[in-house]
């Protein structure tokens, strides 16, 4: 089992309320691995669409001359949280972790903390 698969499984099992997760290459929009989702949550389509979100925010930061890196991007829906977390460190350039949470079953602060920890274990 690859390190990516292990980290995606850990995300789904250790983060309460996780509905789906993916590792995404935002240079191509392709999901390198997915887990969870379902007929109402196609993670491949969501990964491609959220690539545009990461690209747009990165471009905006460049145009504004903002220094620093994106830690994560949170999208709040009526029943879900979507977290986009660009990877830092060795081998992470151009990749982000994508996590979808059930808003009623999850603790957003804990999910962000756990996702950061899982990111540290990911070796791509």
């Amino acid at each position: 089992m690859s390190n990516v698969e292990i980290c995606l499984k850990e995300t789904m099992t250790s983060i309460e309320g996780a509905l789906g997760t993916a590792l995404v290459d935002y240079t191509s929009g392709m999901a390198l691995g997915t887990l969870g989702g379902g007929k109402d949550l196609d993670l491949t389509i969501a990964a491609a669409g959220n690539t545009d979100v990461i690209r747009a925010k990165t471009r905006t930061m460049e145009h504004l001359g903002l220094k620093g890196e994106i830690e994560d991007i949170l999208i709040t829906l009526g029943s879900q949280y979507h977290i986009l977390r660009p990877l830092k460190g060795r081998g992470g350039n151009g990749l982000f972790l994508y996590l979808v949470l059930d808003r009623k079953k999850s603790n957003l602060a804990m999910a962000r903390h756990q996702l950061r920890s899982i990111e540290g274990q990911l070796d791509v």
Side-chain angles (χ1 to χ4, degrees), residues 78-79 81 101-106:
S79 63
Y81 293 123
L101 299 168
D102 181 319
R103 191 170 168 165
K104 291 180 181 166
K105 296 179 182 175
S106 63

Side-chain angles (χ1 to χ4, degrees), residues 7 9-18 110 114-115 118:
C7 286
K9 281 186 180 183
E10 184 175 345
T11 301
M12 289 298 291
T13 57
S14 70
I15 300 179
E16 192 170 341
M110 280 303 295
Q114 290 170 293
L115 195 58
I118 290 166

Side-chain angles (χ1 to χ4, degrees), residues 4 6 21 38 45 47 71-72 100 113 115 123:
V4 171
I6 291 168
T21 188
I45 292 173
E71 185 174 323
D72 57 34
V100 180
H113 174 72
L115 195 58
D123 187 23

